[in-house]
């Protein structure tokens, strides 16, 4: 009996780890979210949303599975907005963000498009706005710094021309040396900016120029090599060519993906509309049919979490109840999930008691960085970049018209790294500059968690690719 229990426990544990992939379930514009999965191109199959892209030649490399298909919503953002992505392993149970074996770089790419909904994501036109790989001071990869809250924040370049864009967050997990894992999705954005810059140094995704199987960057041995020797990959990071008033408007009008009027329930990129008023029995029963039809559609449209659809079913049950044929009930009452705001997430208490993090251990390499922003980490552009200088401090981004104002510039967070003051005051590490008028873009900011616990042998570095071999070994040992 003991023999069979041992094998079952090992197999169950390994299968659980096989599911330890991740995807961004929420994103925040200056600290406020438009809703779970809104404006996000994601897989239509909920079982594959968190799965990585492993074929570097696939068109899925651009925006993930089904990423070449647009969604109904396009989110408006101001110039220079701070965009925070929150990643989770389980879509319906936030809290577990990324397995600590999935170590590697983070990158942010953008593509200017004629239509954020109808444009194919794969192909040329992608430019990089931020990149982070290994931090030799903290001795951590970018993904390791996301362990506690799953968040990473990037500030959009203020000088970009207004219009429609795709924004592509990317995590690259290198824990299986022979098979890099890309976790990518895309946001559909309308940037209201008075800038005029249109980056010309672009790359096609997929392409060997972006990521090529067999290269050192794709098959880097993170378990036996010094992370500071990682060569990087992809194009140089775009650098703003001048300052632009972030509050100035583009004069453009968003013409696609606007939130429909009359919504009473929103989930992802779909919304339910209120039934017409009625006062007769026949009209009431027609409304019942229409209400339940929308409830069924809600479940099919809610890839990330369909629990909100039960609230629409509850509303449908009230129609024509107890012979009341005047309605609809709760007319035009919005029953949508309240979008979250970007609140700090603290590590577990027991970990706080065991670990300490000093300001000097998380401050960037730039000796001129202000000690007050030790809660955020800024990392230099990738090795392919040839020009940068310290990024000047800037004021907080203006409020988002639809989703609220940014975080107060007088406050900072020790765990989310998402406050406007922290991002604005973090300077990029100093490098050789080839142009005094060219400034380095603000790097993505991450809340530095306490150092990770000692890594358990084998268990924390196992992924689905090696389950069979590992379980076979355990069974053999157990038998002997």
């Amino acid at each position: 009996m003991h023999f069979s229990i041992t094998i079952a426990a090992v197999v169950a544990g390994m299968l659980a780890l096989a599911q330890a992939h991740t995807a961004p379930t929420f994103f925040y514009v200056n600290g406020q979210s438009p809703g779970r999965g809104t404006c996000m191109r994601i897989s239509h199959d909920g079982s594959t949303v968190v799965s990585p892209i492993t074929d570097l030649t696939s068109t899925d490399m651009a925006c993930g599975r089904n990423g070449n298909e647009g969604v109904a919503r396009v989110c408006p953002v101001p110039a220079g907005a701070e965009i925070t992505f929150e990643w989770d392993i389980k879509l319906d149970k936030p809290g577990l963000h990324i397995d600590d074996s999935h170590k590697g770089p983070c990158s942010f790419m953008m593509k200017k498009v004629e239509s954020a909904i109808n444009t194919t994501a794969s192909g040329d036109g992608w430019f990089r706005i931020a990149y982070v790989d290994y931090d030799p001071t903290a001795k951590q990869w970018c993904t390791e710094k996301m362990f506690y809250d799953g968040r990473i924040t990037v500030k959009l370049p203020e000088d970009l021309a207004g219009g429609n864009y795709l924004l592509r967050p990317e995590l690259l997990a290198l824990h299986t040396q022979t098979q890099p894992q890309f976790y990518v999705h895309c946001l559909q954005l309308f940037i209201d900016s008075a800038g005029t810059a249109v980056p010309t140094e672009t790359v096609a995704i997929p392409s060997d120029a972006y990521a090529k199987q067999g290269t050192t960057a794709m098959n880097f041995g993170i378990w036996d090599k010094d992370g500071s020797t990682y060569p990087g990959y992809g194009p140089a990071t775009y650098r703003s060519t001048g300052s632009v008033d972030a509050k100035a408007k583009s004069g453009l009008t968003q013409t696609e993906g606007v939130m429909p009027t009359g919504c009473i329930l929103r989930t992802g990129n779909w919304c339910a509309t209120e039934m017409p008023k009625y006062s007769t029995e026949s009209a009431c029963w027609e409304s019942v049919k229409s209400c339940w039809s929308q409830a069924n559609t809600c479940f099919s449209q809610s890839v990330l979490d369909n629990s909100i659809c039960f609230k629409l079913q509850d509303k449908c049950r009230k129609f024509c109840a107890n012979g009341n044929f005047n309605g609809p009930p709760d007319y035009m009452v919005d029953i949508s999930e309240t979008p979250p705001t970007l609140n700090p997430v603290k590590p577990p208490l027991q970990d706080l008691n065991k670990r300490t993090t000093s300001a000097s251990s998380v401050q960037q390499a730039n000796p001129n960085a202000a000690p007050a922003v030790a809660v955020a980490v800024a990392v230099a552009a990738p090795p392919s970049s040839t020009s940068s200088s310290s990024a000047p401090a800037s004021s907080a981004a203006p409020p988002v018209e639809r989703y609220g104002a940014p975080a107060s510039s007088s406050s900072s967070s020790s765990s989310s790294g998402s406050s406007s003051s922290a991002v604005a005051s973090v300077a990029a590490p100093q490098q050789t500059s080839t142009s005094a008028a060219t400034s380095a873009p603000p790097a993505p900011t991450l809340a530095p968690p306490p150092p990770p616990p000692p890594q358990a042998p084998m268990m924390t570095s196992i992924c689905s690719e090696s389950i069979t071999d590992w379980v076979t070994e355990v069974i053999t040992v157990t038998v002997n």
Side-chain angles (χ1 to χ4, degrees):
M1 179 64 68
H2 175 74
F3 169 81
S4 60
I5 292 176
T6 301
I7 295 179
V10 170
V11 173
M14 299 293 43
L15 291 178
L17 282 171
Q19 302 302 318
H21 298 316
T22 189
T25 53
F26 284 102
F27 80 96
Y28 303 82
V29 180
N30 292 333
Q32 191 163 348
S33 175
R36 189 192 306 266
T38 303
C39 303
M40 192 178 296
R41 294 190 179 189
I42 59 175
S43 171
H44 299 169
D45 180 357
S47 66
T48 63
V49 171
V50 299
S51 299
I53 305 302
T54 56
D55 180 0
L56 276 56
T57 65
S58 169
T59 56
D60 292 345
M61 277 287 289
C63 288
R65 292 171 181 82
N66 301 120
N68 270 334
E69 302 174 34
V71 294
R73 291 288 311 283
V74 177
C75 289
V77 298
E82 291 173 20
I83 310 294
T84 299
F85 291 89
E86 184 170 303
W87 298 68
D88 287 295
I89 292 175
K90 293 186 177 182
L91 304 181
D92 58 343
K93 296 180 180 179
L96 296 174
H97 305 291
I98 185 169
D99 187 83
D100 59 1
S101 70
H102 287 39
K103 306 175 191 289
C106 311
S107 178
F108 288 90
M109 306 288 290
M110 293 187 73
K111 181 175 183 175
K112 194 174 191 313
V113 293
E114 185 68 26
S115 167
I117 296 176
N118 299 318
T119 300
T120 298
S122 59
D124 199 4
W126 291 97
F127 59 95
R128 175 175 274 164
I129 62 169
Y131 174 87
V132 181
D133 48 36
Y134 186 77
D135 180 352
T137 302
K139 292 182 170 57
Q140 288 182 316
W141 290 89
C142 172
T143 57
E144 292 183 90
K145 297 179 180 180
M146 298 168 59
F147 180 74
Y148 282 112
D149 61 12
R151 295 171 180 169
I152 182 170
T153 297
V154 66
K155 184 178 175 64
L156 302 182
E158 293 182 352
D159 64 343
L160 289 180
N164 294 314
Y165 288 83
L166 298 179
L167 172 62
R168 176 184 181 272
E170 170 190 289
L171 307 183
L172 170 56
L174 298 168
H175 55 295
T176 57
Q177 185 172 345
T178 59
Q179 185 59 73
Q181 295 184 355
F182 281 84
Y183 296 88
V184 295
H185 297 79
C186 287
L187 287 183
Q188 299 179 169
L189 302 178
F190 173 79
I191 301 180
D192 191 0
S193 167
T196 58
V198 178
T200 57
E201 187 175 348
T202 62
V203 67
I205 302 178
S207 71
D208 288 350
Y210 185 70
K212 183 179 181 181
Q213 179 67 42
T215 59
T216 302
M218 295 297 105
N219 304 112
F220 189 80
I222 61 172
W223 305 111
D224 57 9
K225 292 184 179 179
D226 181 358
S228 62
T229 66
Y230 184 71
Y233 66 97
T237 301
Y238 170 72
R239 306 188 179 284
S240 297
T241 55
S243 61
V244 175
D245 183 0
K247 295 182 179 181
K249 301 298 182 181
S250 63
L252 302 175
T253 300
Q254 182 177 349
T255 58
E256 62 175 4
V258 178
M259 185 190 304
T261 58
C263 292
I264 59 171
L265 181 146
R266 296 175 301 279
T267 175
N269 300 288
W270 178 84
C271 84
T273 56
E274 184 59 277
M275 303 300 103
K277 289 185 177 181
Y278 55 81
S279 58
T280 65
E281 181 175 359
S282 60
C284 181
W285 290 114
E286 285 300 317
S287 289
V288 169
K289 293 179 184 178
S290 180
C291 186
W292 280 99
S293 176
Q294 287 200 81
N296 292 335
T297 302
C298 181
F299 282 97
S300 66
Q301 292 292 320
S302 304
V303 176
L304 296 181
D305 182 14
N306 60 22
S307 60
I308 189 68
C309 302
F310 291 106
K311 296 180 70 175
L312 185 55
Q313 287 186 335
D314 291 340
K315 178 182 176 71
C316 296
R317 292 187 180 97
K318 297 178 182 179
F319 283 61
C320 311
N322 301 318
N324 182 2
F325 303 122
N326 291 286
D330 304 323
Y331 184 71
M332 290 305 299
V333 173
D334 193 335
I335 56 176
S336 304
E337 176 184 48
T338 302
T341 54
L342 193 62
N343 297 318
V345 176
K346 295 183 179 180
L349 181 61
Q350 63 270 25
D351 290 324
L352 288 175
N353 291 336
K354 293 179 182 178
R355 310 170 190 172
T356 58
T357 304
S358 64
S360 61
S361 68
V362 296
Q363 229 174 335
Q364 56 182 354
N366 182 1
N368 298 321
V373 298
V375 297
V377 177
V379 183
S384 57
S385 175
T386 59
S387 170
S388 71
S389 62
S390 296
S394 61
S395 60
V400 182
E401 294 179 83
R402 185 165 292 161
Y403 305 132
S408 170
S409 61
S410 61
S411 62
S412 63
S413 167
S414 62
S415 60
S416 73
S418 61
S419 69
S420 298
S421 59
V423 175
S425 56
V426 171
Q430 291 189 353
Q431 304 173 8
T432 303
S433 175
T434 59
S435 173
T438 301
S439 60
T445 59
L446 295 138
Q455 193 166 13
M458 197 172 300
M459 287 294 291
T460 57
S461 62
I462 293 293
C463 194
S464 57
E465 294 78 1
S466 53
I467 287 179
T468 303
D469 294 340
W470 201 90
V471 173
T472 301
E473 180 180 352
V474 173
I475 291 175
T476 302
V477 172
T478 306
V479 171
N480 293 340

